């Protein structure tokens, strides 16, 4: 894999869009991340706290680190000082802990609510109704050190592109619906994180603002 060429490929693809590229660097060594950085990439995504905290201090400080994988409540404190966006918030309890750690670090932490859009049972996330109710709840408005900036979803892992499109469309519709509500000050619907190596073209066509690409940049894991 030529990382530089792959980054250039995605930069060109996204040039006429408002969608940004997240290079998903999980399992990749720091040398490869550095290579992508030198090709101009600044946003990187990791799915494990342990890997994220090992890589962050040894790589350039102007990297924006995104947490994209399931996050356990007891691990929030390890990333609270530097994480730019947490894509995978799937419970109110987690949001409360992010708020607590944001307060300790005197910074507001950007979060996306992960919404379950796939057919598979195994994927984490809120139901659509649940996500809407949480956003409109009195409790969320009290989390001063949390900023909810949008939604994240993962489509079913399938070659059936009609199904994938339907799921992304559904998430975009929810995003639009929530955007039109009267929202608390710490909620602003800006980002829609959807699309991976296999399905990013559909995701971008359906309104994604953040694609999370691993394999198509770094090769297999
Ligand atoms: C690994 C991962 C990706 C990237 O997957 P690729 O198929 O390698 O592009 C995107 N999002 C999440 C949540 C991931 O865990």
């Amino acid at each position: 894999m030529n990382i530089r060429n792959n980054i250039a490929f995605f930069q060109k693809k996204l040039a006429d869009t408002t969608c940004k590229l997240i290079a998903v660097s999980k399992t990749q060594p720091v040398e490869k991340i550095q290579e992508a950085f030198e090709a101009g990439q600044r946003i990187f995504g990791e799915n494990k706290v342990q890997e994220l905290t090992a890589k962050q201090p040894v790589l350039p400080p102007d990297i924006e680190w995104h947490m994209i994988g399931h996050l356990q409540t007891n691990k929030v404190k390890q990333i609270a000082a530097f994480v730019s966006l947490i894509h995978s918030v799937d419970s109110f309890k987690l949001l409360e802990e992010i708020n607590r750690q944001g307060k300790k670090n005197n910074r507001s932490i950007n979060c996306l609510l992960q919404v379950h859009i796939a057919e598979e049972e195994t994927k984490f996330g809120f139901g659509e109704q649940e996500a809407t109710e949480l956003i409109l709840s009195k409790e969320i408005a009290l989390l001063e050190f949390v900023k909810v900036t949008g939604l994240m979803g993962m489509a079913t892992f399938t070659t059936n592109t009609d199904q994938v499109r339907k799921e992304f469309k559904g998430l975009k519709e929810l995003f639009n619906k929530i955007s039109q509500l009267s929202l608390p000050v710490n909620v602003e619907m800006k980002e829609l994180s959807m699309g991976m190596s296999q399905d990013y073209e559909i995701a971008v066509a359906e309104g994604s603002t953040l694609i999370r690409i691993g394999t198509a940049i770094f090769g297999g894991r």
Side-chain angles (χ1 to χ4, degrees):
M1 288 305 260
N2 185 318
I3 293 173
R4 176 170 289 275
N5 286 354
N6 295 341
I7 297 286
F9 169 85
F10 279 102
Q11 280 170 346
K12 198 166 162 216
K13 266 250 180 257
L14 299 180
D16 298 327
T17 75
T18 53
C19 185
K20 283 175 285 183
L21 174 65
I22 302 170
V24 175
S25 50
K26 63 188 187 198
T27 78
Q28 304 297 340
V30 291
E31 293 74 25
K32 291 202 175 174
I33 301 175
Q34 187 68 39
E35 212 176 312
F37 179 86
E38 277 155 26
Q41 181 63 25
R42 289 296 176 272
I43 312 176
F44 291 86
E46 290 281 342
N47 71 336
K48 293 208 166 76
V49 167
Q50 199 182 346
E51 236 184 292
L52 183 49
T53 54
K55 288 170 175 176
Q56 186 268 340
V58 297
L59 282 155
D62 53 329
I63 286 181
E64 246 188 60
W65 290 103
H66 289 200
M67 178 64 192
I68 63 169
H70 181 64
L71 178 58
Q72 284 174 274
T73 307
N74 62 356
K75 293 190 174 162
V76 175
K77 60 173 168 300
Q78 298 181 51
I79 60 171
F82 67 87
V83 72
S84 291
L85 180 62
I86 300 172
H87 291 234
S88 42
V89 172
D90 58 2
S91 72
F92 180 67
K93 191 179 88 173
L94 179 58
L95 218 44
E96 282 181 305
E97 176 60 13
I98 295 170
N99 185 62
R100 204 170 296 130
Q101 298 302 329
K103 183 171 187 176
K104 276 191 186 161
N105 287 277
N106 195 29
R107 67 191 288 260
S108 166
I109 299 177
N110 295 320
C111 296
L112 305 179
L113 299 188
Q114 183 169 354
V115 179
H116 181 102
I117 57 171
E119 252 184 8
E120 293 131 43
E121 277 300 319
T122 53
K123 304 252 165 100
F124 295 101
F126 293 103
E128 297 197 356
Q129 183 72 25
E130 233 183 337
T132 310
E133 281 169 12
L134 174 58
I135 282 175
L136 294 177
S137 70
K138 286 196 289 292
E139 290 78 18
I140 205 170
L142 301 175
L143 304 179
E144 282 180 89
F145 294 89
V146 160
K147 177 116 203 198
V148 174
T149 60
L151 305 176
M152 181 272 227
M154 285 167 89
T156 303
F157 189 75
T158 173
T159 52
N160 181 349
T161 55
D162 289 344
Q163 180 170 355
V164 170
R165 189 178 297 277
K166 193 180 84 193
E167 291 171 359
F168 286 154
K169 259 192 205 304
L171 187 59
K172 171 68 172 172
E173 273 166 27
L174 178 66
F175 179 89
N176 288 344
K177 216 172 84 189
I178 293 174
S179 304
Q180 283 154 19
L181 300 172
S182 164
L183 299 172
V185 287
N186 59 343
V187 177
E188 188 182 4
M189 287 288 122
K190 288 192 299 192
E191 306 290 0
L192 186 54
S193 170
M194 56 185 198
M196 309 173 28
S197 295
Q198 180 181 255
D199 54 20
Y200 72 86
E201 282 186 296
I202 302 172
V204 173
E206 298 305 331
S208 173
T209 69
L210 294 169
I211 52 172
R212 310 178 309 270
I213 308 292
T215 317
I217 295 173
F218 296 106
R221 289 181 289 270

